[in-house]
């Protein structure tokens, strides 16, 4: 079968729209016809070369669509099911899945190669070259063959464009506040970066009961959106936020700093560490450039002595099989804003425009509508 896809052959080149050959699903695999795909920053990290993976690669790791065909041995989903693809598969039986940490599933090992469980690839070009799908998905293709372990069934009345976002950005941001940071009622939380992930960290912090949700973002549009998502105070620069936090907390400083900027830097880690008080926590969600060191703190006074903690995580410490349906229930109950995250919808062949809009701070989240 043929499928249209946006691919990366070498870093630094624009997204290329091409046609690939797609194999039939094998043991435990399914073919998904994607209806919508979110444009996450992580795909751009690969396209620019900030992060490295096996190339060539079909981009896209936030997708929602319909199961079209089953390989042998599929038990979790059926043809016709609407699914969200989780950007980390959940095998259900590895050490991490079986201890309630599906975000650390051993199957995540092939995220950057896109190789499937039997060690082969389902996408190929006409020269016979194998293409991985980013995160074992490749949602920038109209169709992909993925493991059933990547699929989470959803109710058919949930729109595909909002559902797609619940495959990565929404749980990553919401879970950053609720699980990875563990924000408690009454806390003061400072969130650096109010994009597609940060907007959901704001919602998570409010949901967890934070009294103050202070947002730092240089882009005016993102600050005004942050207020819509529940921020109580917004600032363009860290220095202004620092001053306000001293005032707000009577000198005790914040309980949490959360880093959800586009590209992690040692500068923002410094700012975050300085804005939390004794026993405070800095939670790092952003991805940096693979060749840079982003955490370089004097232990005295920033970690030791102040009892501060720096916490990394993946996927907001969410369990996709549990948290994806749960977040969609919150959406349905009006307690999680998803429609408001989507600033603009694009056709697949407008993908480079979409990422340019993201870089220029014009959108919170762009969504590709396949077949549009
Ligand atoms: Zn993502
Ligand atoms: Zn697992």
């Amino acid at each position: 079968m043929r499928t249209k896809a946006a691919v990366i052959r070498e870093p630094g080149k624009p997204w290329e729209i091409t046609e690939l050959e797609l194999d039939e699903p094998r043991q435990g695999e399914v073919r998904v016809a994607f209806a919508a795909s979110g444009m996450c920053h992580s795909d751009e990290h690969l396209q620019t070369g900030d992060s490295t993976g096996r190339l060539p690669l079909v981009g896209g790791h936030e997708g929602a669509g319909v199961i079209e065909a089953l390989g042998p041995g599929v038990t979790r989903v059926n043809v016709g099911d609407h699914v969200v693809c989780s950007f980390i598969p959940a095998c259900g039986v590895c050490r991490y899945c079986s201890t309630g940490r599906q975000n650390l599933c051993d199957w995540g090992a092939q995220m950057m190669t896109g190789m499937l469980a039997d060690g082969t690839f389902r996408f190929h070009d006409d020269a016979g070259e194998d293409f991985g799908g980013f995160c074992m998905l490749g949602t920038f293709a109209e169709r992909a063959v993925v493991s059933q372990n990547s699929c989470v069934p959803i109710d058919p009345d949930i729109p595909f464009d909002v559902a797609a976002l619940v495959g990565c950005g929404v749980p990553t941001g919401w879970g950053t506040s609720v699980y990875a940071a563990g924000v408690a009622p009454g806390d003061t939380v400072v969130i650096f970066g109010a994009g597609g992930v940060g907007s959901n960290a704001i919602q998570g912090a409010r949901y967890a009961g934070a009294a103050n949700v202070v947002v730092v973002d240089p882009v005016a549009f993102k600050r005004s959106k942050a207020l819509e998502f529940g921020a109580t105070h917004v600032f363009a620069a860290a220095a202004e936020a620092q001053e306000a936090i001293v005032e707000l907390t009577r000198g005790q400083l914040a309980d949490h700093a959360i880093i959800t900027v586009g590209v992690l830097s040692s500068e923002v880690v410094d700012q975050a560490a300085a804005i939390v008080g004794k026993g405070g926590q800095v939670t790092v969600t952003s991805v940096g450039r693979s060749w840079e060191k982003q955490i370089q703190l004097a232990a005295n006074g920033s970690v030791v002595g102040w009892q501060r903690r720096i916490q990394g995580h993946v996927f907001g410490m969410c369990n996709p099989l549990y948290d994806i349906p749960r977040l969609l229930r919150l959406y349905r109950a009006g307690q999680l804003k998803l429609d408001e995250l989507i600033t603009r919808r694009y056709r697949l062949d407008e993908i480079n425009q979409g990422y340019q809009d993201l870089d220029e701070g014009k959108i919170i989240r762009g969504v590709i509508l396949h077949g549009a």
Side-chain angles (χ1 to χ4, degrees), residues 15 82 102 132 251 267 343 345:
W15 290 97
H82 290 204
Q102 290 168 3
E267 190 190 8
T343 319
R345 292 162 178 82

Side-chain angles (χ1 to χ4, degrees), residues 35-273:
S37 177
M39 296 172 59
C40 184
H41 207 133
S42 302
D43 302 285
E44 193 175 42
H45 282 298
L46 274 168
Q47 180 261 325
T48 58
D50 285 350
S51 50
T52 48
R54 178 198 174 277
L55 299 178
L57 188 82
V58 177
H61 63 285
E62 281 187 350
V66 181
I67 303 282
E68 263 190 350
L70 308 181
V74 171
T75 54
R76 288 198 193 179
V77 288
N78 253 313
V79 170
D81 281 357
H82 290 204
V83 294
V84 168
C85 285
S86 168
F87 89 95
I88 296 179
C91 76
V93 295
C94 73
R95 170 183 171 177
Y96 302 97
C97 283
S98 59
T99 50
R101 294 176 289 170
Q102 290 168 3
N103 64 317
L104 298 176
C105 177
D106 281 341
W107 279 52
Q110 296 304 330
M111 279 170 58
M112 304 306 274
T113 67
M115 193 168 71
L116 292 180
D118 68 353
T120 63
F121 298 87
R122 301 293 165 270
F123 292 114
H124 317 278
D125 69 8
D126 291 339
E129 185 153 24
D130 294 332
F131 282 62
F134 187 29
C135 296
M136 303 168 76
L137 298 173
T139 65
F140 294 165
E142 290 175 333
R143 288 179 164 74
V145 169
V146 305
S147 167
Q148 62 172 341
N149 295 347
S150 300
C151 297
V152 182
I154 60 167
D155 290 338
D157 61 323
I158 301 280
F160 286 117
D161 53 2
V162 296
L165 306 184
V166 184
C168 170
V170 174
T172 297
W174 194 85
T176 293
S177 292
V178 173
Y179 297 133
V183 171
D187 278 355
T188 292
V189 182
V190 183
I191 297 172
F192 293 82
V197 173
S199 298
N200 294 297
I202 296 167
Q203 298 200 77
R206 283 313 293 263
Y207 197 78
N212 299 306
V213 180
V214 177
V215 167
V216 181
D217 198 296
V219 180
F221 162 65
K222 291 186 182 176
R223 292 197 299 277
S224 76
K225 288 294 282 187
L227 291 167
E228 235 179 89
F229 288 116
T232 56
H233 308 73
V234 294
F235 299 98
E240 297 166 38
Q242 182 85 28
E243 229 169 85
I245 286 291
V246 171
E247 193 82 7
L248 269 173
T249 62
R250 300 183 184 170
Q252 292 199 327
L253 303 180
D255 302 290
H256 289 280
I258 284 169
I259 305 181
T260 48
V261 295
V263 182
L264 186 68
S265 65
S266 60
E267 190 190 8
V268 72
V269 174
D270 273 340
Q271 292 163 348

